Amino acid sequence: MRIFIFVLAALAGVSQAADDDPCRAGYGHLVSHGPASPFWVQEAPFLKKLEALGLRLRRAGDEDGRRVRDFVRRVRDHDGLGPLASEEDFAHIQRFYDQKRGELFMIEDAQGKVVATMGYAEIRPGVMELKRVYLDPLLQGQGLGSGATRFAIREMSRVPGVRRIELMTTAQQERAIGVYRLLGFTPFEPEPGAIPPGAKDRIYYGLDLSN
């Protein structure tokens, strides 16, 4: 009898561990497995929340360029941010991000509509830029923005040799800035020559992964 109870308990433990595994929800091809990560890496609850909301996270490909571009334009227009300084990554997503050791992710609803994006690309040796973090205004306030940012940070932290993450934003994006600060980003002043054309009004935040 004791052996029987022990076996049942062991099986229950295995079942619970499987339920807690984000791979169980079909995201195994996206999640990098490795050593324990800092506090800002909590992708499992985020992936489970997406599943509960009927949303799907996947890598964007060249065939998604136009839809992603139109989504980003729509969100920026809604937030009064104006046009992007550059949209070159949307033309050839895979080539652009592969060359920069990066990725662009997208989140779709059950009808295939793009509702969020987040990506990253190497801008200097060992330094990644967090970019294209956009969320449908109708989905704001549910923790999806912070979850998407945490997921992107995790993925960047898995790229060999990456020691720092930087991003560029504007004072208008108060909600996003609050998330970045919560996750440990701090403001910094870039070198004058590092500021891209048309970005004089931007503010910059960085996160050292070694901290």
Side-chain angles (χ1 to χ4, degrees), residues 5 8 34 38-39 75 89 103 105 113 132-133 144 162 169 182 185 187 206:
I5 293 174
L8 285 180
F39 78 96
V75 174
D89 55 323
E103 293 280 4
F105 295 97
K113 176 185 176 184
R132 303 299 189 237
V133 182
L144 295 178
V162 172
T169 185
L182 178 66
F185 284 85

Side-chain angles (χ1 to χ4, degrees), residues 18-72:
D19 289 341
D20 291 339
D21 187 351
C23 299
R24 184 70 174 264
Y27 295 103
H29 62 295
L30 294 176
V31 180
S32 302
H33 298 281
S37 302
F39 78 96
W40 31 255
V41 177
Q42 300 177 9
E43 81 288 342
F46 170 60
L47 297 179
K48 287 186 176 183
K49 178 175 288 188
L50 292 182
E51 184 180 29
L53 293 172
L55 303 177
R56 176 174 178 255
L57 168 68
R58 67 177 178 86
R59 290 185 172 92
D62 289 343
E63 68 280 5
D64 302 305
R66 179 174 296 181
R67 291 198 303 131
V68 171
R69 181 202 64 192
D70 292 346
F71 165 74
V72 170

Side-chain angles (χ1 to χ4, degrees), residues 135-165:
L135 178 66
D136 190 308
L138 296 177
L139 293 176
Q140 292 181 359
Q142 302 184 57
L144 295 178
S146 61
T149 304
R150 289 177 188 271
F151 181 89
I153 293 174
R154 175 190 168 90
E155 294 300 301
M156 284 183 275
S157 73
R158 298 305 192 194
V159 179
V162 172
R163 64 183 188 280
R164 180 173 168 83
I165 300 170

Side-chain angles (χ1 to χ4, degrees), residues 56-122:
R56 176 174 178 255
L57 168 68
R58 67 177 178 86
R59 290 185 172 92
D62 289 343
E63 68 280 5
D64 302 305
R66 179 174 296 181
R67 291 198 303 131
V68 171
R69 181 202 64 192
D70 292 346
F71 165 74
V72 170
R73 287 179 177 178
R74 187 166 62 251
V75 174
R76 291 184 63 85
D77 183 62
H78 176 273
D79 294 343
L81 298 176
L84 287 166
S86 173
E87 296 183 339
E88 64 171 314
D89 55 323
F90 299 143
H92 301 284
I93 290 177
Q94 289 171 293
R95 183 175 66 189
F96 179 91
Y97 286 95
D98 284 350
Q99 290 177 344
K100 299 176 182 293
R101 299 207 300 164
E103 293 280 4
L104 181 63
F105 295 97
M106 57 192 290
I107 298 176
E108 300 170 306
D109 65 12
Q111 288 71 47
K113 176 185 176 184
V114 182
V115 296
T117 61
M118 66 280 199
Y120 58 88
E122 192 169 44

